[in-house]
C-alpha cells in the first residue's frame, strides 16, 4: 500500500540528513533584523520588526522552540535598542509589542501542535481502518503473483471506498476489485461489508456466479441495515470485477464484471481487454431478472429469486498479467482536462521494456504515470491491482 502525504513532503524541505533545521529560518531572520538595524542610521530603525521572529517560529517549529525565540527576541530587542542614544530608541511601546507578539506566537504554536496531534490521531485511526478493510496480502498468496497500490485523494483520511482482496479456497482462487460509490465512512462500511461476504462466499461456493449473487444480496442487506439505523444515504452501489483462477490446469480465468472498467491482459504482445459476464453494479441487481435466493430479509419483497448467468472464462496467457484499475485511473485528468490514456501509455512502456508486464513493475508504471499526468492532484481515490499465476517451477 502506498499513499501521498503532502505534509511529510513539505517537512522534508526543512531537514538536512536526519536533523530538522526549521529553526534556522527564524534565527536568520532575527540576526538579519538586528544587523540591519545596527548598520543603518538612527533615522531608519527596524528593530521592532523582531516581532515577526516568534511568529515565523510558531509556523515552522515546535512550542518549545517558539518560546525560546520569543525570549530571544526580547533580549535582542533590548540589546540592540540600548546601543542607540535615548532620543533614537524605539522605547517601551515597541518592547510591549515584541513581548505581546511573542506571547501570541507561543499560543498559536500550542494550538497548531494540538491540532496536529489530533489530526495525527485521526490519521492513525484511518490507517487502522484501511488495514482492516484492505488486509495485507502475503507474497505469492494462493499461487498468485500480485501487487496493489491504493492512493487516497483525501491525503488526511487515507481511506475511501476502493477495495480488493484475494481468497483461496477448495474451488480455486477468487479475486475481487471494486469501488464503492461515494466517499466517507459510509463507503468504507460498504466496502467492509462486501469484502466480508466475498471472503466467505469465495471460499465455500463452487460457482463464481453464486459468489456474485451473494455480493448482490449483501449490498441490499447492508442498505436495509443502515436505513433502519436512520443513516439512509441513497441507493449506494459498487462497481467491481470478480475473478476466479480455477484449480484445474489451463490458462483461463473466470470473470464477472459489475459495471466496472474491463480488466486488461498485459503482456509482451501488448494490452487487450478481457471480456466477462456483464452485470449491473452491485446494488442494482433488482433491475434485471435475478438476485440470489435467500433474500427474505431484504427490504424489498418483490426482488427476483435467481441469476442464471455463468461467468465467462477467457484465456489468459502465462506471460500475461491481469490488470484492474478503478476510475481514479481512467478519469485522471491533467490541467488541460485531458484524460490519462492508460492503454496507450502501457503499450509505450511495454514497447520499451516487455518486462514491465510483471505485477509489481506494472502497478508501479501505472501509478507513476497517473501521478505524473495529474501532477499529484488526484480527483478520486485510485487503486491499481495486478495479478497473474506464478510460474510453475516444479520439475
Amino acid at each position: 500500500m502506498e499513499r501521498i502525504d503532502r505534509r511529510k513532503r513539505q517537512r522534508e524541505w526543512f531537514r538536512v540528513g536526519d536533523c530538522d533545521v526549521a529553526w534556522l529560518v527564524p534565527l536568520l531572520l532575527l540576526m538579519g533584523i538586528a544587523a540591519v538595524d545596527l548598520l543603518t542610521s538612527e533615522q531608519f530603525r527596524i528593530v521592532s520588526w523582531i516581532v515577526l521572529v516568534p511568529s515565523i517560529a510558531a509556523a515552522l517549529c515546535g512550542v518549545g522552540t517558539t518560546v525560546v525565540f520569543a525570549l530571544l527576541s526580547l533580549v535582542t530587542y533590548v540589546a540592540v535598542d540600548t546601543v542607540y542614544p535615548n532620543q533614537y530608541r524605539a522605547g517601551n511601546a515597541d518592547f510591549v509589542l515584541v513581548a505581546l507578539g511573542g506571547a501570541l506566537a507561543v499560543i498559536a504554536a500550542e494550538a497548531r501542535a494540538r491540532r496536529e496531534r489530533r489530526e495525527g490521531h485521526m490519521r492513525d485511526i484511518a490507517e487502522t481502518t484501511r488495514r482492516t478493510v484492505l488486509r495485507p496480502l502475503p507474497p505469492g498468496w494462493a499461487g498468485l503473483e500480485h501487487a496493489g497500490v491504493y492512493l487516497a485523494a483525501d491525503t488526511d483520511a487515507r481511506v475511501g471506498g476502493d477495495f480488493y482482496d484475494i481468497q483461496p479456497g477448495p474451488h480455486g482462487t477468487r479475486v475481487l476489485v471494486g469501488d464503492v460509490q461515494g466517499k466517507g465512512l459510509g463507503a468504507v462500511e460498504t466496502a467492509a461489508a462486501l469484502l466480508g461476504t466475498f471472503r466467505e462466499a469465495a471460499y465455500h461456493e463452487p460457482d463464481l456466479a453464486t459468489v456474485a449473487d451473494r455480493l448482490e444480496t449483501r449490498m441490499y442487506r447492508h442498505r436495509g441495515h443502515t436505513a433502519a439505523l436512520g443513516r439512509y444515504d441513497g441507493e449506494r452501489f459498487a462497481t467491481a470485477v470478480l475473478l476466479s483462477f480455477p484449480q484445474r490446469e489451463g490458462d483461463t480465468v473466470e470473470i464477472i464484471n459489475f459495471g466496472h472498467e474491463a480488466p486488461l491482459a498485459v503482456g509482451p504482445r501488448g494490452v487487450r481487454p478481457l471480456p466477462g459476464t456483464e452485470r449491473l453494479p452491485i446494488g442494482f441487481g433488482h433491475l434485471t431478472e435475478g438476485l440470489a435466493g435467500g433474500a427474505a430479509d431484504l427490504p424489498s419483497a418483490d426482488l427476483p429469486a435467481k441469476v442464471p448467468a455463468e461467468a465467462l472464462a477467457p484465456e489468459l496467457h502465462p506471460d500475461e498479467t491481469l490488470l484492474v484499475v478503478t476510475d481514479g485511473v481512467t478519469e485522471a485528468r491533467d490541467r488541460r482536462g485531458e484524460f490519462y490514456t492508460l492503454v496507450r501509455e502501457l503499450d509505450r512502456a511495454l514497447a520499451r521494456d516487455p518486462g514491465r508486464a510483471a505485477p509489481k513493475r506494472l502497478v508501479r508504471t501505472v501509478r507513476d504515470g497517473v501521478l505524473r499526468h495529474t501532477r499529484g492532484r488526484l480527483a478520486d481515490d485510485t487503486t491499481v491491482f495486478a495479478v497473474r499465476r506464478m510460474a510453475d517451477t516444479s520439475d
Side-chain angles (χ1 to χ4, degrees):
M1 299 298 297
E2 300 185 24
R3 58 182 172 80
I4 304 172
D5 194 334
R6 293 192 184 97
R7 183 174 289 105
K8 182 177 179 180
R9 290 206 309 268
Q10 289 169 352
R11 294 295 297 175
E12 294 297 326
W13 288 96
F14 300 106
R15 299 191 71 84
V16 175
D18 295 330
C19 299
D20 191 335
V21 294
W23 54 270
L24 279 175
V25 177
L27 178 61
L28 292 175
L29 178 62
L30 178 65
M31 295 171 60
I33 292 173
V36 171
D37 191 82
L38 290 173
L39 295 176
T40 54
S41 65
E42 294 84 350
Q43 283 74 30
F44 186 76
R45 299 296 312 280
I46 65 168
V47 68
S48 59
W49 291 12
I50 286 180
V51 71
L52 298 175
V53 172
S55 301
I56 299 299
L60 301 178
C61 307
V63 178
T65 305
T66 303
V67 171
V68 170
F69 275 106
L71 297 175
L72 189 58
S73 296
L74 282 175
V75 172
T76 304
Y77 174 86
V78 172
V80 172
D81 199 40
T82 54
V83 171
Y84 287 88
N86 288 334
Q87 65 270 27
Y88 296 112
R89 291 180 182 176
N92 294 331
D94 286 354
F95 176 84
V96 172
L97 174 65
V98 174
L100 182 60
L104 293 176
V106 172
I107 294 173
E110 175 63 25
R112 179 177 64 85
R114 289 184 180 180
R115 183 179 67 253
E116 290 181 351
R117 287 194 296 268
R118 183 168 60 252
E119 291 176 353
H121 180 62
M122 295 303 295
R123 287 195 298 270
D124 290 341
I125 294 175
E127 183 75 6
T128 302
T129 303
R130 179 185 64 80
R131 290 186 177 277
T132 301
V133 175
L134 298 179
R135 62 179 180 177
L137 299 175
W141 183 232
L144 297 181
E145 183 182 359
H146 61 83
V149 167
Y150 171 75
L151 302 175
D154 183 351
T155 59
D156 288 330
R158 302 185 186 182
V159 66
D162 290 7
F163 57 90
Y164 60 80
D165 201 6
I166 298 176
Q167 180 59 56
H171 309 291
T173 301
R174 274 69 185 265
V175 179
L176 180 66
V177 183
D179 179 12
V180 176
Q181 168 264 339
K183 298 182 181 296
L185 291 179
V188 177
E189 290 177 354
T190 304
L194 292 175
L195 284 174
T197 296
F198 165 74
R199 289 161 186 164
E200 290 301 312
Y203 181 87
H204 292 287
E205 300 294 345
D207 298 323
L208 193 64
T210 305
V211 179
D213 295 339
R214 293 276 299 275
L215 291 172
E216 189 73 41
T217 301
R218 186 67 181 97
M219 176 65 84
Y220 280 91
R221 294 177 59 198
H222 178 72
R223 291 200 312 220
H225 178 259
T226 55
L229 291 174
R231 295 191 287 111
Y232 179 74
D233 52 2
E235 296 295 320
R236 190 180 293 277
F237 63 90
T239 63
V241 174
L242 180 61
L243 311 168
S244 179
F245 292 84
Q247 288 183 332
R248 62 181 181 270
E249 294 184 0
D251 299 323
T252 60
V253 55
E254 298 179 10
I255 301 175
I256 295 179
N257 192 327
F258 294 95
H260 200 80
E261 294 289 337
L264 300 175
V266 182
R269 289 172 295 276
V271 182
R272 61 188 178 94
L274 285 184
T277 299
E278 296 292 335
R279 291 196 181 190
L280 293 177
I282 303 174
F284 289 158
H286 64 287
L287 301 179
T288 60
E289 295 182 356
L291 182 66
D297 57 343
L298 297 184
S300 257
D302 57 348
L303 293 175
K306 185 67 179 173
V307 173
E310 296 181 355
L312 291 181
E315 183 179 2
L316 183 68
H317 301 300
D319 57 356
E320 288 183 316
T321 297
L322 199 152
L323 175 68
V324 183
V325 301
T326 59
D327 54 10
V329 174
T330 57
E331 297 180 6
R333 298 172 182 252
D334 59 15
R335 290 185 174 180
R336 296 175 295 180
E338 296 181 359
F339 289 104
Y340 177 69
T341 53
L342 175 61
V343 174
R344 186 179 66 185
E345 293 300 323
L346 286 178
D347 280 332
R348 291 176 178 175
L350 292 171
R352 294 191 298 267
D353 181 8
R356 287 181 183 268
K360 288 184 178 180
R361 297 189 64 189
L362 180 59
V363 165
R364 191 161 53 243
T365 298
V366 176
R367 177 204 62 188
D368 294 346
V370 171
L371 293 177
R372 185 167 53 249
H373 185 76
T374 62
R375 297 190 178 183
R377 297 178 176 87
L378 300 176
D380 197 359
D381 294 339
T382 300
T383 294
V384 185
F385 190 79
V387 61
R388 69 180 178 186
R389 292 183 187 270
M390 297 184 68
D392 187 1
T393 58
S394 60
D395 294 331

